[in-house]
Amino acid sequence: MTKQTNRRYSDRHPGLSRHHISRLAFLLAGLLIAVSSVSLLFVGYVASHASDEQAIRNEKRLFENTLHDRMRLIVREQVTVARWDAAVTNIVLNFDYEFVREHVGSLWTDHRHNRTFLIAGDDQILAETFQDYTHITKRHLDETPELKPIVAQARTLYEKNRVRVPGGFSYRSLQGLDTAEYAALGFVTIDGKPALVGAMPIIPDQETVRLPKGPPTILLSAKFIDDAFIEDINSQLSFKEMAFVASFQTEAGAPGHQITDVADNPLGSFRWVSDTRADTIWPTVIPVILLLSVSLAVLAFGIAWRIGKLTSSLHASERQNRYLALHDTLSGLANRLQFNRVLASSVKELPDKTFAVIHCDLDKFKAVNDTFGHAAGDAVIKTVAERMTQAVGRGGLVARVGGDEFVIIMRSITDRAGLRELANTLITSISEPMPLPDGEETNIGLSIGIALAPDEGVDGESLVAAADAALYYSKENGRGRMVFASDLPTLELSEAKSVQSGGGYQAAS
């Protein structure tokens, strides 16, 4: 009896032990599943939050770069009028109404500057434009006090760069100077509307005239931050639901950019909806978490799979942001940032490796938008990009730096004959009929200015300025043609002789 009792007792003990271990195993398995689920939730939260923050930082950086480019562009457009001996003669020294109406008014017709002011050294506003209407007036700057801070900045820069010469004063060369070193930039409120403003003095370019003593005459122009401005700046960014609001308060970490006027008073904020938010991670993470209760094997596989997919998503987002930062979203060409980088690297290789800067501007492109709409204009830009890329090939970089403005850095062809042939190929290609989305066709043209490195400069600013000047000459003298920057003095002399002799003028291409 004792032996049987002992056997049963010994049989019962292992049963209790196995049951206890089983419960511990289930408990440990449950604990592991719970810990793994919480860990995955935490990883998902951190990853989505980090992805949100990085995407928004990249978008803000891209927006700031684009806005800075627009500031520089408004000054470059002003330079065509403000840095000119004829402007000094007909505005500063002898105020010519017709000259002012024609050339100051061109800032609207050519570049869509909504408002332009000419402000004399005694704070008298001599003229102002309202889009396509130029009003000759004489009223004191005190009537428009919001302009006084930026006018004061422009005068301070003038005093810094003014040079005394025999017979009066001149101005130092703009080559090598950053835009902010000779022009005042910022935001102000004009007519109750926030506006991007540039202001610079009227100064000579060829040293044939002298500036008088005293404060300068300031050319100030503005682009309102309206729907047209937002559409223009967003044509490069393609942000979702971009808008400008008067409110200066933004949610912490939200996509946006706040602006203040020159006196540091708040004006409002640019807002948009981020396209790269990581909220879509959660609908895929939750099913994986539910699968953790099935088995530890599924749990391990699910964690590894999700982490791998999450990493791929972050890498894809980073690649997309890098691509957007260096490419124009409409045409797929290099944007201004990539162009500036390639230009800087090309300059560093001088004089061992020469190159050319080819500045191209479409002729009659505005008529396409006005006649067929912006969708047609976008189609034309894409076709132009394809034709330019095909013509240039792998030997150069084609970049879109404005609405209808393209710049090429050409390394494989640097002789004048080859560049002339390339320019003629580009002009011929672009002049061919452009297909439109509705089956119609349209025709545009192309004007080209070419600067050779190191002949026209050994720094990017000088080369771009030289190409700009050649392009401007091409546009002003017939369009649909190319001009070398090195030919400008000869061309201008030939034009002057032609005018003196009463004959006509045909510029050489």
Side-chain angles (χ1 to χ4, degrees), residues 110 361-364 446-447 474-481:
D110 293 345
D361 191 83
L362 301 183
D363 301 328
K364 300 184 293 185
L446 186 70
S447 297
S474 174
K475 298 285 282 189
E476 290 296 309
N477 289 272
R479 303 175 184 263
R481 54 180 290 167

Side-chain angles (χ1 to χ4, degrees), residues 1-8:
M1 184 71 179
T2 303
K3 183 177 179 180
Q4 186 180 9
T5 302
N6 290 339
R7 183 179 59 81
R8 291 176 180 175

Side-chain angles (χ1 to χ4, degrees), residues 114-131:
N114 300 101
R115 293 295 306 276
T116 304
F117 300 84
L118 279 177
I119 305 167
D122 60 356
D123 282 348
Q124 295 293 323
I125 298 178
L126 305 177
E128 56 184 313
T129 68
F130 302 83
Q131 294 188 352

Side-chain angles (χ1 to χ4, degrees), residues 47-64:
S48 62
H49 187 67
S51 179
D52 284 354
E53 290 184 341
Q54 185 60 45
I56 292 173
R57 281 197 297 268
N58 291 339
E59 289 175 351
K60 287 183 176 181
R61 188 182 307 114
L62 185 60
F63 179 84
E64 290 168 2

Side-chain angles (χ1 to χ4, degrees), residues 251-262:
E251 181 183 349
H257 180 80
Q258 300 173 343
I259 62 171
T260 60
D261 64 14
V262 182

Side-chain angles (χ1 to χ4, degrees), residues 107-227:
L107 291 176
W108 162 254
T109 56
D110 293 345
H111 308 295
R112 286 300 185 262
H113 292 200
N114 300 101
R115 293 295 306 276
T116 304
F117 300 84
L118 279 177
I119 305 167
D122 60 356
D123 282 348
Q124 295 293 323
I125 298 178
L126 305 177
E128 56 184 313
T129 68
F130 302 83
Q131 294 188 352
D132 57 351
Y133 170 69
T134 302
H135 178 55
I136 306 299
T137 182
K138 193 168 186 179
R139 61 185 183 86
H140 202 273
L141 185 61
D142 288 341
E143 297 180 23
T144 316
E146 59 269 17
L147 301 181
K148 296 179 75 173
I150 199 164
V151 170
Q153 286 187 14
R155 287 175 176 167
T156 300
L157 293 173
Y158 171 79
E159 294 294 333
K160 179 181 178 181
N161 295 302
R162 185 178 66 172
V163 178
R164 182 181 291 276
V165 295
F169 294 89
S170 187
Y171 206 79
R172 66 182 293 192
S173 171
L174 300 187
Q175 292 188 2
L177 291 182
D178 184 73
T179 305
E181 294 183 72
Y182 62 85
L185 297 167
F187 297 93
V188 299
T189 299
I190 300 177
D191 300 336
K193 303 175 184 177
L196 173 63
V197 173
M200 66 176 295
I202 304 293
I203 55 176
D205 63 332
Q206 298 296 327
E207 304 293 338
T208 62
V209 294
R210 296 288 182 261
L211 294 167
K213 182 179 180 181
T217 297
I218 300 296
L219 174 66
L220 184 150
S221 60
K223 287 189 175 182
F224 290 134
I225 302 177
D226 52 16
D227 291 342

Side-chain angles (χ1 to χ4, degrees), residues 203-310:
I203 55 176
D205 63 332
Q206 298 296 327
E207 304 293 338
T208 62
V209 294
R210 296 288 182 261
L211 294 167
K213 182 179 180 181
T217 297
I218 300 296
L219 174 66
L220 184 150
S221 60
K223 287 189 175 182
F224 290 134
I225 302 177
D226 52 16
D227 291 342
F229 180 86
I230 292 175
E231 181 180 355
D232 173 58
I233 198 171
N234 201 32
S235 64
Q236 182 174 343
L237 301 170
S238 297
F239 285 172
K240 187 187 299 182
E241 299 179 22
M242 175 175 277
F244 181 82
V245 295
S247 172
F248 196 66
Q249 298 297 324
T250 59
E251 181 183 349
H257 180 80
Q258 300 173 343
I259 62 171
T260 60
D261 64 14
V262 182
D264 208 27
N265 298 312
L267 292 181
S269 306
F270 290 93
R271 307 279 181 85
W272 62 86
V273 176
S274 177
D275 253 343
T276 51
R277 307 278 297 194
D279 295 339
T280 54
I281 290 177
W282 292 110
T284 53
V285 169
I286 291 176
V288 175
I289 297 174
L290 294 177
L291 291 176
L292 294 176
S293 60
V294 177
S295 68
L296 291 176
V298 173
L299 169 66
F301 176 77
I303 292 176
W305 179 63
R306 289 310 306 160
I307 291 177
K309 188 173 181 180
L310 183 60

